[in-house]
Amino acid sequence: MSEQPFPAAYGFLASARTGGGQDPEAPRFATRGRYSELSERLRAQSVRFTLVHPGDDTSGAYATGADTLVVLAGEIYNRAEIDTVLDRAAASDAERVLGLVERYGLHAFRLVNGRFAAFVAEGERVLLATDHSGSVPLYTRRTAGQVLAATEAKTLAAPHQGDLGFPAGGARRVRRLPGLHQVPAGSVLEIDTGRGTAETHRTWVPPVSRRIMSEEAAVDAVRHALEKAVARRLAPAAPPLVVLSGGIDSSGVAALADAAVLGPIDTLSMGTDRSNEFPQARVVADHLGSRHREITIPTSELLAQLPHTLHAAESLDAEVIEYLLPLTALYRRLDGPARRVLTGYGADIPLGGMHREDRLPQLDTAVAFDMDTFDGLNEMSPVLSTASGHWSTHPYWDREVLELLTVLEAGLKRRYGRDKWVLRAAMGDVLPQETVVRPKLGVHEGSGTTSGFTLLVREAGVPEAGVAAAKTAVVEELFDRIVVGGEEPDRVDLPDVVEKVAKAVKG
Ligand code: ATP
Ligand code: MG
Ligand code: MG
């Protein structure tokens, strides 16, 4: 269980200077929260940072050592393990990272299972670290004598005087934002400001080997790993809310969360006027006795959230935006106090759940491809929910769960004609049978998001063959206006964007 109901900080913008450089402009994050401006003078660098945070107390979001400053957004899940190797007790996750950096240097991040982005200034270098899955995006810009880093690209969008490119490979350039790079998933970008060098060190890579296990051993391992991942994501002071579709992934999380806490959990389902999965989610809610709520969002209102989805996810992938749109809309409707949200997001990637055919070679090819290409899509970004004041976390992308699910041989993922067989078998005793055997239905399908978006561009005159290209163009245009151009999402005229794109597609 987590000590604190929420991470001390959800995001940051930090600047480390050895010499010149401009002060960063006052940032505007999509993340909702309070802003605190702090600074710290180290021997060779002076650091200024802005935290965006949910509570009054920011002390858990940074920690200082002799000549080291750690700034952390997000949270750690293997706290107890880490604490066994530290010399002194850590009062926060930032202190844990500091203790690890003092002991292991930049390899510290190989030891952390968490959902975080970190900025470390130490001596003459800056370390920029992502968690294994890069779930909290981290961007950087470098000028002579200055390193800037932030958890949202938009806060670093303005060009800076004397922008330097990166000599090191690995960091990804960001569309239409020259000088801006994204730190890869599972990496530490080490920037030596004295020598002017930058190097990427991997802290996690998706496993490509596969393990043969008996049915029983695999099922037990999956159940155990997932139980642990769910438990680590709960906090006594913040009762969990599970966003529930009635599919096996979110239903499994709901069942394990329910088993881990006293009293009922909260569950929430969204649907639209076009489509919903309410009956299937209701079966699970009734079974668990959860406090269940359904939210129906008219399709026009759902599509109107596209600018907000771009604002939060800063992703250029139209398919990913379609998955994230219904969730963004759901979080924006989730009023009341801040919640700790657990999702079933991401299970399909290591298990090949989207792969709708029976052959194992193709299944493992799909898994390996998806595990190789998720980086930079920002699919797991917490900003989707923190933009509405809620913290979200994804147990299937816990480092241990993800590793285990990835390495299981394909025959355990598809078995007896079922997709995600091992997960279904692992949940057999805590969910109704109809939920356990329910075929996969994507969040973009169950909510009618894909078909609604298609209709939107078709009605603007885009021919059937041009739909995918038009959706991509809409997403790119929104990215350019909101992330690059700094336009407020509420002020973007979506019909206007769609019309412009449709004209271009029609030629
Ligand atoms: P399956 O992949 O087998 O359909 P699932 O529905 O739980 O299981 P996805 O469809 O991949 O998973 O959706 C990803 C996650 O998004 C879900 O696990 C759930 O947490 C959330 N989600 C999806 N649809 C809804 C919905 N209609 N209402 C609330 N949350 C949803
Ligand atoms: Mg799923
Ligand atoms: Mg589903």
Side-chain angles (χ1 to χ4, degrees):
M1 295 249 175
S2 183
E3 306 146 1
Q4 300 299 327
F6 300 105
Y10 288 161
F12 62 73
L13 165 65
S15 146
R17 282 200 286 189
T18 48
Q22 313 150 238
D23 276 336
E25 284 170 38
R28 288 203 341 271
F29 295 89
T31 300
R32 196 204 288 175
R34 303 177 198 187
Y35 290 20
S36 293
E37 291 258 6
L38 296 138
S39 61
E40 192 70 44
R41 185 166 284 281
L42 302 177
R43 242 173 274 153
Q45 309 186 63
S46 47
V47 182
R48 294 183 51 151
F49 55 105
T50 304
L51 298 170
V52 52
H53 54 99
D56 299 322
D57 185 10
T58 55
S59 64
Y62 61 99
T64 45
D67 190 29
T68 310
L69 167 70
V70 171
V71 180
L72 187 79
E75 62 187 1
I76 292 177
Y77 299 119
N78 62 337
R79 292 185 177 117
E81 277 164 31
I82 290 172
D83 290 350
T84 65
V85 295
L86 298 182
D87 301 330
R88 53 175 192 275
S92 68
D93 285 345
E95 282 191 12
R96 279 186 186 91
V97 170
L98 177 66
L100 288 175
V101 168
E102 286 173 344
R103 187 173 160 88
Y104 299 94
L106 59 79
H107 301 304
F109 295 99
R110 294 184 170 158
L111 298 152
V112 183
N113 174 5
R115 175 161 172 74
F116 66 90
F119 170 98
V120 181
E122 181 194 49
E124 290 205 327
R125 62 182 189 166
V126 171
L127 308 177
L128 304 177
T130 51
D131 68 46
H132 64 288
S133 63
S135 76
V136 179
L138 183 58
Y139 298 89
T140 183
R141 180 184 283 287
R142 214 172 124 214
T143 65
Q146 184 179 30
V147 177
L148 293 146
T151 51
E152 293 182 32
K154 65 183 76 62
T155 65
L156 291 176
H160 284 60
Q161 276 164 18
D163 265 328
L164 303 173
F166 265 103
R172 184 179 301 99
R173 290 168 196 279
V174 184
R175 176 190 155 88
R176 298 255 325 251
L177 289 168
L180 194 67
H181 290 75
Q182 183 169 10
V183 180
S187 291
V188 176
L189 184 64
E190 177 191 21
I191 301 163
D192 190 315
T193 46
R195 284 186 307 191
T197 56
E199 195 177 341
T200 302
H201 306 268
R202 293 308 304 265
T203 55
W204 191 81
V205 287
V208 292
S209 61
R210 301 293 181 249
R211 277 180 71 187
I212 297 169
M213 290 172 90
S214 70
E215 287 188 354
E216 199 194 349
V219 165
D220 280 356
V222 168
R223 172 66 170 264
H224 179 74
L226 199 57
E227 274 175 4
K228 200 164 143 191
V230 167
R232 284 166 157 178
R233 282 165 173 73
L234 302 172
L241 172 75
V242 178
V243 281
L244 179 69
S245 64
I248 186 64
D249 306 342
S250 48
S251 301
V253 168
L256 297 183
D258 179 67
V261 301
L262 295 170
I265 60 162
D266 293 324
T267 49
L268 175 62
S269 297
M270 73 78 69
T272 65
D273 50 353
R274 295 173 65 83
S275 184
N276 68 59
E277 300 178 55
F278 288 159
Q280 292 83 356
R282 174 67 65 181
V283 166
V284 177
D286 287 346
H287 181 82
L288 299 176
S290 64
R291 287 179 298 227
H292 187 60
R293 198 176 141 199
E294 293 166 353
I295 295 180
T296 300
I297 302 175
T299 301
S300 58
E301 201 183 301
L302 175 76
L303 293 171
Q305 307 298 317
L306 268 168
H308 284 280
T309 309
L310 264 294
H311 191 226
E314 301 189 325
S315 177
L316 283 155
D317 189 294
E319 275 182 37
V320 164
I321 293 297
E322 276 186 0
Y323 307 154
L324 301 181
L325 175 57
L327 294 171
T328 305
L330 173 70
Y331 296 136
R332 283 175 57 78
R333 282 287 205 94
L334 183 55
D335 36 22
R339 299 302 308 255
R340 176 173 275 272
V341 179
L342 271 67
T343 84
Y345 207 93
D348 298 287
I349 301 172
L351 290 174
M354 310 287 271
H355 180 80
R356 282 169 181 159
E357 66 142 289
D358 236 352
R359 286 173 297 171
L360 299 186
Q362 282 79 353
L363 174 59
D364 206 31
T365 299
V367 169
F369 179 81
D370 287 350
M371 288 303 298
D372 231 21
T373 51
F374 68 78
D375 193 14
L377 299 176
N378 295 354
E379 215 175 334
M380 310 282 164
S381 172
V383 185
L384 272 307
S385 60
T386 57
S388 300
H390 307 288
W391 178 247
S392 55
T393 173
H394 314 300
Y396 290 99
W397 274 57
D398 178 89
R399 196 174 67 172
E400 289 168 26
V401 174
L402 183 62
E403 270 172 11
L404 173 66
L405 296 181
T406 304
V407 303
L408 293 177
E409 58 98 356
L412 291 162
K413 299 178 186 180
R414 179 163 272 276
R415 204 173 188 86
Y416 308 121
R418 289 244 145 79
D419 59 16
K420 299 190 273 192
W421 175 84
V422 69
L423 176 63
R424 298 178 189 281
M427 295 302 146
D429 62 334
V430 286
L431 288 171
Q433 181 62 9
E434 62 178 293
T435 305
V436 171
V437 300
R438 191 180 163 216
K440 192 227 152 41
L441 186 68
V443 50
H444 54 303
E445 302 164 315
S447 56
T449 302
T450 296
S451 54
F453 194 3
T454 298
L455 199 62
L456 183 73
V457 295
R458 291 284 279 128
E459 281 176 354
V462 172
E464 184 59 48
V467 167
K471 286 180 174 178
T472 296
V474 168
V475 165
E476 286 178 354
E477 174 72 13
L478 291 173
F479 184 94
D480 290 349
R481 286 170 66 160
I482 296 164
V483 181
V484 180
E487 240 178 271
E488 281 298 323
D490 275 329
R491 307 196 61 150
V492 174
D493 185 348
L494 184 65
D496 188 56
V497 170
V498 173
E499 201 175 306
K500 182 179 152 188
V501 163
K503 265 200 199 121
V505 170
K506 284 185 286 183

